[in-house]
Amino acid sequence: MWFDDFANWFRLDMGIDLGTCNTLVCVRGVGIVLNEPSVVAVRKGTNEVLQNGNAVGIVAKEMLGKTPGSITAIRPMKDGVIADFEITEAMLGYFIRKAKATHGSSFIRPRVVISVPSGITAVEKRAVYNSAERAGARRVYLLEEPKAAALGAGLPVGEPSASMIVDIGGGTTEIAILSLGDIAVCESLRVAGDDMDEAVVSHMRRTYNLMIGPQTAERIKIDIGSAASTGDEKTMEVRGRDMISGLPRKTVITSEEIRESLKEPIGSIIEAVLRVLEHAEPELSADLVDNGIHLAGGTSLLRGMDKVMSQATGLECRVVDDPLTCVARGTAMFLEHLSEWKETLESDADAK
Ligand code: ADP
Ligand code: MG
């Protein structure tokens, strides 16, 4: 109807995956419009965001590690908790404004669905609502990340059959079994990709007396890292600072030693998956024998991750299509059905 078309013109619905490493924004009817690192550059010792509040995302990440002493780059969601409210607010505000400016108009007040880790506290939820409202949102709904991931992966979440999703991101791993549109069992673990980077840093320090930065560690993990032997063993030349002489130095490392160093964080993730499986009702467990486990999040791309998970659980484990955008696409699907489904969500109206 012309009236609906007309009204839609002034309506803007936005879905946001507020991740510990990356934030993605999608706009209803358009798709993903923004995909940037969850990083903010501030003046050291203050919460003052540089460049009039615009040193966020890609701009801030470029400053990481290369900033002069007076500037630091912060990941406010680093451990899946909101470590710094003011900086999170500045970041969320920047992303909402940017998406509004390119896909809508700056005076439209959007409805926003934000996917948050399932383990966040009431205080943290409040902070997310407030940030989004201050950034100009008309209504704010929070969607638990495992639900968004399952929707984005195209799992039959509404059906009376269990689906299991393991979303391994940077700061957190979200593990959940869903049935009838809701979460039956879940665990939010603060071990994920960042811990693997740290494991690589400490391996280099212990074995080679070589200090490397977090970005180098992440590159090593992605280029030659693995959870299980995949038959394509590689080597890599790594540069850093010698801890004894203090001088720049390089060395060659193998995928085998990196796999060994990643064992501990991977072990913690697998233990948590087993715990969630143990807590499932027998009927749900029975469904999982056929349905298997779906892996999402950037860290599910680590070579052999699906293989070790299958070995440990005896279930079929599959990485979903495009695991880095899965949660954002899930929020977009939620927006399509916002009018029917919004009753099932926590919204700012409940929090007041
Ligand atoms: P979050 O939802 O917490 O923001 P993401 O799902 O965006 O996290 O995933 C980011 C994590 O995925 C980072 O730790 C990154 O190093 C890791 N990652 C991305 N690509 C790969 C890859 N090909 N292999 C291993 N890890 C990867
Ligand atoms: Mg995520």
Side-chain angles (χ1 to χ4, degrees):
M1 278 196 317
W2 72 269
F3 180 76
D4 283 344
D5 287 344
F6 186 69
N8 272 333
W9 221 77
F10 290 100
R11 206 169 276 152
L12 184 63
D13 291 333
M14 236 182 236
I16 303 180
D17 167 12
L18 189 60
T20 64
C21 273
N22 300 297
T23 298
L24 286 80
V25 179
C26 48
V27 167
R28 190 163 71 108
V30 181
I32 294 170
V33 300
L34 183 149
N35 181 352
E36 298 197 25
S38 308
V39 178
V40 181
V42 298
R43 199 166 302 287
K44 204 168 201 161
T46 70
N47 286 341
E48 187 197 332
V49 184
L50 297 171
Q51 297 179 4
N52 295 327
N54 291 323
V56 179
I58 294 167
V59 178
K61 180 125 188 204
E62 276 166 6
M63 293 178 164
L64 254 175
K66 293 175 192 144
T67 51
S70 60
I71 295 171
T72 41
I74 293 179
R75 282 174 54 196
M77 300 286 298
K78 192 167 181 296
D79 298 308
V81 289
I82 297 182
D84 193 303
F85 294 119
E86 275 179 55
I87 294 174
T88 304
E89 186 175 319
M91 183 174 85
L92 199 52
Y94 171 83
F95 288 138
I96 292 178
R97 280 196 309 277
K98 192 166 175 186
K100 263 201 325 191
T102 42
H103 294 271
S105 153
S106 46
F107 67 83
I108 292 177
R109 300 185 64 207
R111 291 192 295 182
V112 183
V113 173
I114 304 179
S115 137
V116 291
S118 57
I120 85 171
T121 64
V123 176
E124 288 165 346
K125 280 183 190 162
R126 184 72 265 170
V128 176
Y129 287 127
N130 288 347
S131 314
E133 274 171 358
R134 250 173 263 160
R138 175 159 53 94
R139 280 299 291 276
V140 184
Y141 302 92
L142 298 192
L143 176 61
E144 287 148 313
E145 196 176 312
K147 277 195 205 166
L151 275 171
L155 304 185
V157 277
E159 280 163 34
S161 170
S163 305
M164 181 160 182
I165 193 102
V166 180
D167 175 1
I168 322 173
T172 57
T173 297
E174 298 271 319
I175 306 159
I177 299 176
L178 301 107
S179 176
L180 286 168
D182 225 330
I183 294 176
V185 202
C186 74
E187 183 170 332
S188 179
L189 181 76
R190 287 178 184 178
V191 176
D194 290 341
D195 301 83
M196 298 183 186
D197 300 350
E198 276 161 32
V200 172
V201 170
S202 64
H203 169 75
M204 294 306 293
R205 198 176 51 221
R206 275 200 311 262
T207 316
Y208 297 101
N209 276 327
L210 194 69
M211 287 294 286
I212 58 168
Q215 271 139 309
T216 303
E218 184 182 24
R219 203 161 340 108
I220 294 171
K221 172 188 75 177
I222 292 177
D223 288 354
I224 68 166
S226 57
S229 168
T230 49
D232 60 339
E233 300 297 288
K234 295 179 186 161
T235 57
M236 185 175 170
E237 202 174 73
V238 177
R239 293 165 174 75
R241 190 183 71 210
D242 188 284
M243 285 170 67
I244 297 160
S245 69
L247 296 173
R249 176 164 71 81
K250 63 182 182 185
T251 186
V252 174
I253 57 169
T254 68
S255 36
E256 195 182 357
E257 60 184 285
I258 296 306
R259 182 159 61 244
E260 199 54 39
S261 73
L262 299 181
K263 276 215 164 110
E264 200 180 306
I266 292 172
S268 310
I269 294 170
I270 287 174
E271 276 169 30
V273 169
L274 295 174
R275 270 198 301 278
V276 169
L277 283 168
E278 274 166 28
H279 288 117
E281 292 292 330
E283 293 295 346
L284 298 180
S285 308
D287 293 341
L288 294 177
V289 173
D290 291 329
N291 299 347
I293 300 178
H294 292 81
L295 306 182
T299 304
S300 70
L301 290 168
L302 184 74
R303 266 174 231 98
M305 199 67 202
D306 46 353
K307 191 169 158 190
V308 286
M309 201 74 87
S310 288
Q311 277 164 356
T313 59
L315 299 172
E316 193 192 334
C317 296
R318 263 178 249 124
V319 178
V320 306
D321 289 339
D322 204 358
L324 280 157
T325 63
C326 184
V327 170
R329 285 183 287 112
T331 61
M333 288 174 69
F334 210 95
L335 289 171
E336 299 292 335
H337 299 274
L338 192 58
S339 49
E340 305 145 57
W341 291 350
K342 66 183 179 194
E343 307 306 329
T344 68
L345 286 192
E346 279 189 58
S347 78
D348 42 353
D350 307 326
K352 271 168 192 156

